[in-house]
Amino acid sequence: MADHPPPDTKRGHGTQRGGKSGKVADFRYKRPSRPDGKRSDRRKASPRDSAIAPPSNSVTPPHGGPPLRRQAYAALDLGTNNCRLLIARPSGENFTVIDAFSRVVRLGEGLAVSGKLSDEAMERTLAALHVCAEKLRRRNVRLARSVATEACRRAANGPAFIERVRRETGIMLDIISAQEEARLAVLGCHILLEDGAGPAIIFDIGGGSTELVLVEPADRVPRIVDWLSVPWGVVSLTDTVHGSDESEETRLDRYVAMRRTVGRSFAEFAERIREHTHSPEPIRLLGTSGTVTTLASLHLELPQYDRRAVDGLIVPSQSMRDISRRLSRMSAPDRKRLPCIGDDRANLVIAGCAILESILDIWPSQQLGVADRGIREGILRSLIAADAEGERSRAALQRMREQDV
């Protein structure tokens, strides 16, 4: 695996390797506000604090430009486990989601063993993408970007599948690098970082890979100092590290093996960032993934998943460790009966717990921020900002032409 510089600086190193339907989400992404105009304090979670109203998220286009048109913008993220779509319209300095779709497709199922996308996985994924294509046709979408991540990066037949998607659905998927995946995740959720001057890690536990990004405060978007992507997500780690579910002892053996596997992959990065863990300012941690949102739901003891209660939540790291270890001892049938886990996540959540604990090992933040947003929101923010910049350039060119007349 080759080394690459972080997305926005030459310092540090990185690594590149080349269900159910969603509901319409009628909410705004905007920055929490207070009467004095300052950013509001985030509320910390308590075990039964299930009625927490989350801070909404700002995705601010550049200031001073012409008003953005009312057409919609779309972002599609095809991951190893899920296919997700957001369609949104600008709303002042924010955007409002007008349509959304999410389905578990398990595109990377069996990939760790075969090195290829299976016929069954591709058929499931195509069915979901046909739904996305229909939504894109129905909405007045001005700009769209569709990306594919680790499963398509790793699979020998990934490019062929991308071409088949284009032929059958009209969706042109871009297989992005791990570097771009990390950048988009930061762009999509960084505003949920706790206020502070200290360094922070933003991480994304996916289906086929995990990205960790070390950032420092900057004017509007945190400056990326260092980053890492490893080929361990909830699907790839589950498929690679085998074990028995027969007893608590065998389940714990498998969990320890998962932790050991991930820990080895994190070792070099952990050494590089060690000095930052001794910052005089408190270090911060923000996670965007199904793992952290699921564990946050268990922490709140929610009867069912509620994005409004989870997105923007801050949870004690020790609580997340305790939940992870409790889940690692439970049998699969017992996990399925827990609210917010169910059949889809019952097996995969253990790998997610192992990855999360390994992150806490190398970045011992006392608290963990939870984000139910990431790559798609980063894409939308990029599209809206680029369109605003284009509008400014066109307006400036028009003014120059008028002056020459």
Side-chain angles (χ1 to χ4, degrees):
M1 294 185 289
D3 286 338
H4 296 270
D8 67 351
T9 177
K10 293 183 179 180
R11 294 171 55 190
H13 303 280
T15 305
Q16 177 184 356
R17 296 168 313 286
K20 56 184 179 180
S21 63
K23 298 180 179 179
V24 173
D26 184 15
F27 52 82
R28 290 176 181 239
Y29 285 77
K30 59 185 178 181
R31 184 185 298 272
S33 59
R34 297 191 316 206
D36 60 7
K38 296 180 180 179
R39 188 174 176 180
S40 63
D41 295 332
R42 294 227 203 289
R43 186 177 175 187
K44 298 179 182 179
S46 61
R48 291 187 178 272
D49 198 2
S50 60
I52 293 177
S56 300
N57 193 353
S58 166
V59 280
T60 307
H63 294 291
L68 296 175
R69 300 179 184 180
R70 289 293 299 164
Q71 288 98 329
Y73 299 77
L76 191 155
D77 172 21
L78 178 59
T80 301
N81 198 47
N82 294 279
C83 175
R84 299 185 178 100
L85 171 72
L86 279 184
I87 303 176
R89 287 198 181 105
S91 179
E93 294 185 350
N94 314 303
F95 67 67
T96 299
V97 174
I98 60 172
D99 208 345
F101 175 81
S102 178
R103 180 177 292 174
V104 175
V105 295
R106 305 193 307 279
L107 178 60
E109 187 176 55
L111 175 62
V113 176
S114 68
K116 295 182 179 181
L117 304 175
S118 71
D119 291 340
E120 295 83 359
M122 289 189 287
E123 291 301 326
R124 288 193 301 264
T125 303
L126 277 166
L129 289 170
H130 277 293
V131 176
C132 293
E134 179 59 28
K135 286 180 176 288
L136 290 169
R137 279 190 288 268
R138 288 204 312 265
R139 299 293 181 173
N140 185 23
V141 175
R142 173 174 171 82
L143 289 174
R145 187 182 184 193
S146 304
V147 302
T149 56
E150 183 69 7
C152 290
R153 283 199 296 262
R154 295 183 64 189
N157 57 345
F161 176 64
I162 296 299
E163 174 59 23
R164 182 183 172 190
V165 169
R166 185 195 65 78
R167 290 196 314 268
E168 297 188 17
T169 71
I171 294 173
M172 299 181 65
L173 286 163
D174 176 21
I175 303 179
I176 60 173
S177 67
Q179 176 181 3
E180 175 70 355
E181 188 175 355
R183 187 189 73 84
L184 289 172
V186 170
L187 192 60
C189 71
H190 72 85
I191 200 165
L192 294 183
L193 269 174
E194 291 183 88
D195 290 332
I201 290 283
I202 297 176
F203 67 89
D204 182 1
I205 302 173
S209 67
T210 293
E211 282 69 47
L212 296 87
V213 188
L214 175 66
V215 299
E216 290 181 343
D219 290 341
R220 295 188 56 167
V221 178
R223 186 176 69 86
I224 296 177
V225 178
D226 201 347
W227 70 286
L228 173 76
S229 179
V230 297
W232 302 122
V234 295
V235 175
S236 56
L237 188 60
T238 299
D239 288 348
T240 300
V241 181
H242 303 288
S244 170
D245 195 53
E246 291 182 357
S247 68
E248 181 176 315
E249 182 179 0
T250 58
R251 292 192 287 270
L252 283 175
D253 286 344
R254 187 188 186 201
Y255 187 67
V256 170
M258 286 181 170
R259 297 263 279 113
R260 187 183 305 118
T261 298
V262 177
R264 285 196 295 264
S265 294
F266 286 173
E268 183 180 346
F269 182 72
E271 189 60 34
R272 294 205 305 265
I273 67 172
R274 190 177 306 280
E275 63 179 285
H276 296 278
T277 64
H278 303 301
S279 167
E281 299 287 341
I283 61 175
R284 296 163 294 155
L285 185 64
L286 175 66
T288 168
S289 73
T291 295
V292 293
T293 56
T294 297
L295 268 59
S297 299
L298 295 175
H299 173 81
L300 295 176
E301 299 184 11
L302 298 180
Q304 60 186 17
Y305 185 73
D306 182 356
R307 180 187 187 276
R308 295 170 300 175
V310 169
D311 187 48
L313 190 68
I314 296 182
V315 182
S317 296
Q318 187 57 49
S319 176
M320 300 296 259
R321 281 193 186 270
D322 292 343
I323 295 170
S324 296
R325 292 168 184 175
R326 176 163 62 90
L327 291 175
S328 70
R329 289 171 165 79
M330 297 174 66
S331 67
D334 287 341
R335 290 194 300 271
K336 288 180 181 181
R337 286 191 285 269
L338 290 176
C340 306
I341 291 186
D343 291 347
D344 286 339
R345 293 194 179 276
N347 291 323
L348 300 180
V349 71
I350 298 305
C353 290
I355 296 169
L356 176 58
E357 280 215 80
S358 297
I359 292 170
L360 293 172
D361 288 345
I362 67 172
W363 193 254
S365 173
Q366 296 300 304
Q367 299 178 145
L368 169 63
V370 179
D372 185 352
R373 62 187 72 190
I375 291 175
R376 292 173 303 164
E377 288 80 5
I379 291 172
L380 286 172
R381 181 173 178 171
S382 296
L383 290 176
I384 294 171
D387 202 21
E389 183 65 28
E391 291 285 354
R392 279 198 298 271
S393 297
R394 285 187 287 272
L397 181 59
Q398 181 61 32
R399 287 194 297 271
M400 291 175 60
R401 288 172 175 169
E402 292 171 352
Q403 291 171 0
D404 290 340
V405 172

